[in-house]
Amino acid sequence: MALPLYLLALIHAFLVNAADENETSAGRRAGWVSQPDGRGTFDILWSCLFTIFLCTWVSLHLNVPSPHETYRHQFSRKARWMLQGIMAPEFVLAFATGQKVEATRSVEDFKPLALPGEGRPKWTIRHGFYANMGGFVLRPRESAAFPINSKQLLWLIKRGYVDYPKLSAKEVWDKSKADGFQKSLTCLQTGWFIIQILGRWIQRLPVTTLEITTLSFVLCTLVMFTQWANKPLDVESPTIVASSKSIAEILIEAGSVASQPYKQTPLDFIDNLSPSWLTEVQPHLRFRTGPTMRPLPRFTNDRFPVIGAGPDAVFLFLFTMAYCGLHFVAWDFDFPTPLERSLWRAASIAIAACAFIFWVCETYQDGHRLGRWERWAAKLSTSKDGRINTMEKQRRNRRFIPVWEVIIMTPVTIVYTIARTYIVIEAFLCQRSLPMRAFETVQWSQYLPHF
């Protein structure tokens, strides 16, 4: 551990010394700059840090916490996800998109059950979000209660184990703690930040690397708001779904498909909530795992999204590559030293390349998870139904995260982490020496209200 810290200190000392040697040029200002006639170092830092905080904190829509979970645990979890949003906002966006896709699928699945004549409210995307975030908790007879998602709830309703929830979309939304003031404040600040960047670009004033990095958070936040627009925020009290049957009776009646021991909840044979970083990946890495109770007392927030090949997947891919490409805007920026410019360029290329490799691997594996490749192969094949049944059985028994993907993604993840860490750190290090014109304000900016 001491060696990496020593190397970081050595590199930092080198960069600082190199910057001191370059300060003789007339076009730069080093150190802390006050703001008597223009914007200063504090103005840049405050605007960016305040915007980043709003983007990474307010935009998070986490799942329902465990019963009797303390506020400290909930705050700690949200803080960790905020850090995740800073280090890799595009991955948080991928989770949000995956949750939206799953909620949308549930609407189609529940359509045959939503019969107005029987007093059943229409199942909406809000219901889908609410179910998949742990909003419904099954309480079987003489068995421990546990959360169920939309697929598991649908299976139970079809077989008469539970009643259709008499919960309207409005009642679902009433459980949300959505703070209109916070979201309005975030939209105002991010809108003002975008106007500032556009104004500087129009008047050909320098934009700092910290502002470019902040702009990437802003764009991710705006898209996350749209993906999570129908997901209730900070729900604490789930809806209890009672059953007159015990879990043992349900499993026996389900037959051989429910004969295997469960890993997450007794209804794993319907949907095993895979894969999750906390419950499946971290145990293999010997890291501290997530909820240890079984059945799971809550749904983890890190279930890898199964998005499919629809418009949402195409949009997410294009936006992710655009987000990575945004760092190339600083390709010819005036960095304190040539070395820092070269490292920024290398890190930008690495982030874009790692994201592309990740998408290629996940698209291929996602096709197996959903059985897409098997269905395509069946359409091209002239064999009988037995061949199709064999392929379906192989798909069910296939590992959700195969060994080959782990081998490829491990170095990709390491490279991405190093590159992303450098981008975040360098965005702040560049503030020690900026071009003189970076401290000039847009001529009309001081007449607009902002935070």
Side-chain angles (χ1 to χ4, degrees), residues 11 195 269 280 284 308 349 356 360 377:
I11 292 173
I195 292 174
F269 65 95
E280 294 184 80
H284 293 289
I349 294 173
F356 182 79
V360 171

Side-chain angles (χ1 to χ4, degrees), residues 68-236:
H68 312 298
E69 194 172 48
T70 64
Y71 176 78
R72 183 177 65 85
H73 283 98
Q74 296 179 39
F75 180 86
S76 175
R77 183 181 305 118
K78 192 166 185 177
R80 291 196 302 270
W81 273 92
M82 177 181 175
L83 179 60
Q84 171 74 14
I86 292 175
M87 296 305 299
E90 71 272 33
F91 286 100
V92 179
L93 176 59
F95 286 121
T97 304
Q99 292 171 13
K100 178 192 172 185
V101 171
E102 290 288 350
T104 304
R105 287 177 185 148
S106 74
V107 175
E108 295 297 321
D109 295 337
F110 272 81
K111 267 185 179 180
L113 299 182
L115 304 176
E118 298 182 8
R120 293 180 173 181
K122 180 181 178 182
W123 186 273
T124 66
I125 190 172
R126 289 183 178 177
H127 288 88
F129 270 120
Y130 183 66
N132 293 334
M133 67 187 292
F136 291 107
V137 171
L138 176 66
R139 182 175 289 169
R141 178 173 57 83
E142 300 176 354
S143 305
F146 58 90
I148 54 176
N149 62 15
S150 58
K151 292 181 181 179
Q152 296 165 340
L153 177 62
L154 179 65
W155 188 90
L156 293 170
I157 294 174
K158 284 184 174 180
R159 285 155 183 80
Y161 292 123
V162 299
D163 295 329
Y164 188 99
K166 301 293 176 54
L167 197 66
S168 67
K170 185 178 184 301
E171 290 173 320
V172 170
W173 203 244
D174 284 342
K175 289 179 171 290
S176 176
K177 306 295 191 302
D179 191 331
F181 173 76
Q182 287 184 353
K183 288 195 173 183
S184 299
L185 179 63
T186 303
C187 291
L188 285 174
Q189 178 63 19
T190 54
W192 166 248
F193 191 86
I194 293 174
I195 292 174
Q196 279 275 65
I197 298 298
L198 290 176
R200 300 191 68 81
W201 177 72
I202 292 172
Q203 297 188 9
R204 300 186 180 279
L205 294 174
V207 177
T208 67
T209 53
L210 181 57
E211 289 171 316
I212 290 296
T213 303
T214 305
L215 181 62
S216 67
F217 290 121
V218 169
L219 297 180
C220 283
T221 297
L222 295 178
V223 178
M224 268 190 281
F225 273 150
T226 61
Q227 302 295 65
W228 273 332
N230 289 290
K231 183 177 182 179
L233 177 67
D234 293 339
V235 176
E236 295 183 358

Side-chain angles (χ1 to χ4, degrees), residues 276-428:
S276 167
W277 176 267
L278 280 177
T279 59
E280 294 184 80
V281 179
Q282 286 195 178
H284 293 289
L285 300 177
R286 301 185 183 279
F287 290 166
R288 179 183 176 185
T289 59
T292 56
M293 291 179 57
R294 293 297 183 272
L296 281 177
R298 65 176 178 87
F299 289 153
T300 61
N301 297 279
D302 57 359
R303 181 180 184 181
F304 293 176
V306 181
I307 300 175
D312 288 285
V314 175
F315 169 78
L316 182 61
F317 170 75
L318 294 177
F319 184 85
T320 300
M321 299 313 298
Y323 161 80
C324 296
L326 187 61
H327 299 93
F328 287 91
V329 173
W331 188 271
D332 290 323
F333 274 21
D334 188 4
F335 284 79
T337 67
L339 175 61
E340 288 172 90
R341 182 189 295 112
S342 299
L343 290 175
W344 181 280
R345 292 174 176 177
S348 300
I349 294 173
I351 289 176
C354 290
F356 182 79
I357 294 173
F358 173 82
W359 265 98
V360 171
C361 293
E362 274 300 296
T363 300
Y364 176 78
Q365 186 59 21
D366 193 61
H368 284 301
R369 291 167 187 158
L370 296 176
R372 187 186 310 124
W373 310 136
E374 286 82 356
R375 290 194 298 270
W376 289 3
K379 290 179 181 180
L380 298 175
S381 175
T382 57
S383 58
K384 301 296 182 180
D385 292 341
R387 173 59 179 162
I388 298 177
N389 293 334
T390 301
M391 289 190 299
E392 177 64 18
K393 187 178 297 184
Q394 290 175 349
R395 182 184 73 83
R396 287 178 176 272
N397 294 332
R398 185 180 291 111
R399 288 179 179 270
F400 213 103
I401 305 179
V403 176
W404 68 263
E405 191 174 15
V406 175
I407 294 174
I408 294 177
M409 292 310 300
T410 298
V412 169
T413 303
I414 293 174
V415 172
Y416 177 90
T417 303
I418 294 174
R420 181 63 189 169
T421 302
Y422 174 78
I423 289 288
V424 173
I425 294 176
E426 179 60 25
F428 287 92

